[in-house]
Amino acid sequence: MIINNLHKKISSICTQFSEQASGFTETESLLELKQELADKIARFSAEEQRLSIGIMGQVKAGKSTFLNALLFNGEPVLPEAATPKTANLTRITYGEEPRLVVEYYSLEEWQALEKAAALPGDSAQTKVAKELMALVSKHELNVAEKLRHGSTETLSAADNDELLNKLNDYVGENGCYTALVKMTHLYLPREELRGYEVVDTPGMNDPIQSRTQKTRDYMAECDVVFFLSRASQFLDQSDMNLLSEQLPGKGVKRMVLVAGQLDGAILDDGYNRASLAGTEQNILERLGRGAEKKIQELVTQREQRGQTEIAAMLSEMKKPVFASTFAHGFACLPQENWGRSMQHSHSELTEMAENEWNGYQFTQQDWLRIGNFATLQNAYEQARTDRQPLLDAQRDGIASHTREQWQYRLQLLQEAVESRRNKLETGDINELQQQQAQCEQRIGNFDMLLKQHIRQNIQRINQATTKLMQSLEQQAEDYQQVHTQTGTKTIRTSRTISTSSWYKPWTWGDRETVWDTDYESYQFASSADAAEQVRKYAQRCKQDIEHSFNRLINPSTLKNELKASLLDVLDTKSEQFDPQSFRTILDHGIEKLKLPTLELETGNMADMISSRFQGEVKGSDIDSLRNTLAETLQQVFVRLGQSVGKGENRLNDALNTVSATLANSLTQDLRKELEKLKHDFSQRQQQLEHYSQLLKLIEKNQQL
């Protein structure tokens, strides 16, 4: 409301200035400010108004089930994905009509998956790729035909039920088209979604790297993130990697740590306890201590990097919310709405309680307490509530910036009007013509001084860049670490045993095959982590170099230097020649300069990792991954060096263009001003009155 009213007021005043100050170029600057504010209002309304909430965690952390319970009262709006192959990112927003927008893999991405499926071994990438190929084969899909029509498809429906039936075909575990889908955008006419969006992510440990990148892009836009970690494996190494390395550095303003699937932890721990109360107390105390210790380590790391905002946000996660979607469902949903997984979990928990806790039976209050969804709902509603102060602060920021710019630009107009009025009051047109000619003559000398300024700036850039590049090359070592993790694989072996009994002669010779299950630990490195190291190094180099360049070529500083130098050149110390009379015109001419800034292009160098390694990297391939990472970081540095060289050339060319055109531009401005003065002198008294009225109008509208 504030910025809308501000825009109306500026529009009204600008209409008056357009009519009464049309002969001043400074009026154009006020009109530009009006348009800038209009653009901000439109952008603010379209993008910033919506609260973006992300659900983050490993694949199979129970995110879809969690969202169904949190947002849709347990309705199965989002189908459960039992394996990573169905881990598509789903974005949910309000829509006037039920609608589903599906984004498929590109043909190139699908061909990469086909190659991965053909590889030997059992890496996560290979397993998922093979599952996707099997799903395609099962549904007899013509992939080339489906994908060649475009990357997206929009599906409409008459109502929510029809849309959700269609959704299962695209994101369900065995959906017809699930294998081909990378992302879905779900529009639902549900009032609880108006002004909000929820992003259900596949997890950044997704074996499919193109889906991981899609997740990273959307997480960077989220305001609030619920981070889900299974209580039975709470904050394991993969979770900590997600939090420490892949947490977006921008966008996220609050994170809520959820120890989910608490029912599973109770089932694991309950056999060693005498009661439900003892089991819950042990889990909450043990996991609470672990969370505080692990999160504090992340906080310290961020503080040491100077990232105080992220450190403060992480610090709020030291006290996790313990919750169970299943337990919430046991308490709140009719049994006929329980899925197979819920039914199985309920059966195991009640059986354990009866056998281990002296016939104990879970109560409604037990399920509500274990589910703990009231706490989660409060966190969710608080995030929605806290959005308004943030929106107000953003609006105030736009309003205050606009007011500052208004005063500055209006002051420039005031100076121009006063200068024109003073010349009319005290000057002589013939004298002004002579002084202008002297100005033009001396502006020619300014060209030489301007080139000297540019040479000095280029030298400063070269010296600073050489020193900075040496530092960045050394910093590459900080990103060469490839951390290994411990995984577990299942080994099944068979053996034949006799089933005959001595007292049953007819069974003599009978045998059966028995399968034994064993587990084997192994070390692996994550190719996604290595690719992330490359991205982080490239981003850091890019930011450091651009900051250094743009600090050295600071537009405001350079313009002030040019103004001071120009005034020195014009000042002859002669009483017959006063350069101040033309200072406003010349200053404004320099203000209009569009000075260049440096923007570097790094490309996606992480592709060099993902094109050679996928998913978990084991054995001798870990050393190969380390070597490839070191080589890639060096190539990032080389490419940045080349980009810097091109950037320097562009800056040099731009500054030389300024040098070549500024003198001529200033001369043209002086001549235009003289023509306006000639016209004013022909109607001297009338124009003096007009300028006096115009100055009163400016004074009246200094404060918005």
Side-chain angles (χ1 to χ4, degrees), residues 122 488-494 515-521:
D122 58 351
T488 304
K489 64 180 180 181
T490 303
I491 301 174
R492 299 195 70 201
T493 56
S494 64
W515 289 89
D516 296 322
T517 301
D518 198 4
Y519 300 94
E520 182 179 295
S521 297

Side-chain angles (χ1 to χ4, degrees), residues 364-543:
Q364 178 84 350
Q365 290 303 314
D366 288 336
W367 294 132
L368 287 172
R369 185 182 62 257
I370 296 169
N372 199 22
F373 257 67
T375 303
L376 288 174
Q377 289 285 359
N378 288 340
Y380 176 66
E381 291 302 326
Q382 190 63 50
R384 291 167 62 104
T385 301
D386 289 350
R387 179 59 167 165
Q388 195 57 48
L390 178 61
L391 287 172
D392 292 342
Q394 290 173 332
R395 290 190 186 97
D396 291 345
I398 293 175
S400 61
H401 174 75
T402 301
R403 289 190 179 99
E404 289 175 4
Q405 280 295 308
W406 175 264
Q407 290 183 350
Y408 171 70
R409 300 186 191 195
L410 201 60
Q411 182 182 354
L412 294 180
L413 176 60
Q414 182 178 4
E415 291 173 356
V417 175
E418 288 176 344
S419 175
R420 183 100 46 95
R421 187 186 64 174
N422 291 339
K423 288 171 185 172
L424 278 178
E425 286 180 336
T426 62
D428 175 86
I429 190 63
N430 294 323
E431 182 180 333
L432 287 170
Q433 280 182 290
Q434 293 174 4
Q435 293 206 358
Q436 180 210 313
Q438 293 182 54
C439 259
E440 291 185 18
Q441 182 181 4
R442 299 192 71 82
I443 284 175
N445 299 332
F446 174 62
D447 188 43
M448 186 181 301
L449 188 62
L450 179 61
K451 290 178 179 177
Q452 182 180 343
H453 268 291
I454 290 173
R455 282 196 301 270
Q456 290 173 348
N457 278 285
I458 294 296
Q459 287 173 359
R460 284 193 299 172
I461 289 173
N462 290 335
Q463 293 169 358
T465 302
T466 300
K467 186 175 180 180
L468 179 59
M469 294 301 287
Q470 291 172 349
S471 172
L472 292 175
E473 187 172 25
Q474 293 172 355
Q475 291 174 17
E477 297 178 4
D478 298 338
Y479 296 85
Q480 291 182 14
Q481 300 300 318
V482 175
H483 300 288
T484 57
Q485 305 173 45
T486 300
T488 304
K489 64 180 180 181
T490 303
I491 301 174
R492 299 195 70 201
T493 56
S494 64
R495 53 190 173 88
T496 303
I497 62 172
S498 173
T499 59
S500 61
S501 300
W502 66 270
Y503 54 86
K504 296 179 181 178
W506 63 87
T507 66
W508 293 354
D510 287 356
R511 294 174 174 273
E512 70 175 20
T513 299
V514 177
W515 289 89
D516 296 322
T517 301
D518 198 4
Y519 300 94
E520 182 179 295
S521 297
Y522 62 93
Q523 295 294 310
F524 71 93
S526 169
S527 61
D529 288 346
E532 185 68 16
Q533 292 289 81
V534 174
R535 273 187 286 268
K536 287 167 62 179
Y537 176 65
Q539 186 64 21
R540 176 171 180 173
C541 291
K542 181 177 184 292
Q543 290 175 347

Side-chain angles (χ1 to χ4, degrees), residues 263-264 267 324 326-327 330 339-351 367:
D263 55 286
L267 191 61
S324 165
F326 280 0
F330 299 153
R340 284 179 300 174
S341 298
M342 280 185 67
Q343 293 174 6
H344 179 69
S345 177
H346 185 270
S347 176
E348 287 191 312
L349 285 165
T350 53
E351 183 179 330
W367 294 132

Side-chain angles (χ1 to χ4, degrees), residues 193-225:
L193 291 174
R194 191 183 288 273
Y196 300 90
E197 73 172 9
V198 180
V199 180
D200 178 24
T201 74
M204 290 197 204
N205 62 330
D206 185 354
I208 307 298
Q209 298 235 356
S210 58
R211 294 192 307 210
T212 300
Q213 184 59 47
K214 181 68 68 175
T215 297
R216 182 181 291 104
D217 293 342
Y218 272 94
M219 294 309 297
E221 299 176 5
C222 287
D223 301 299
V224 180
V225 168

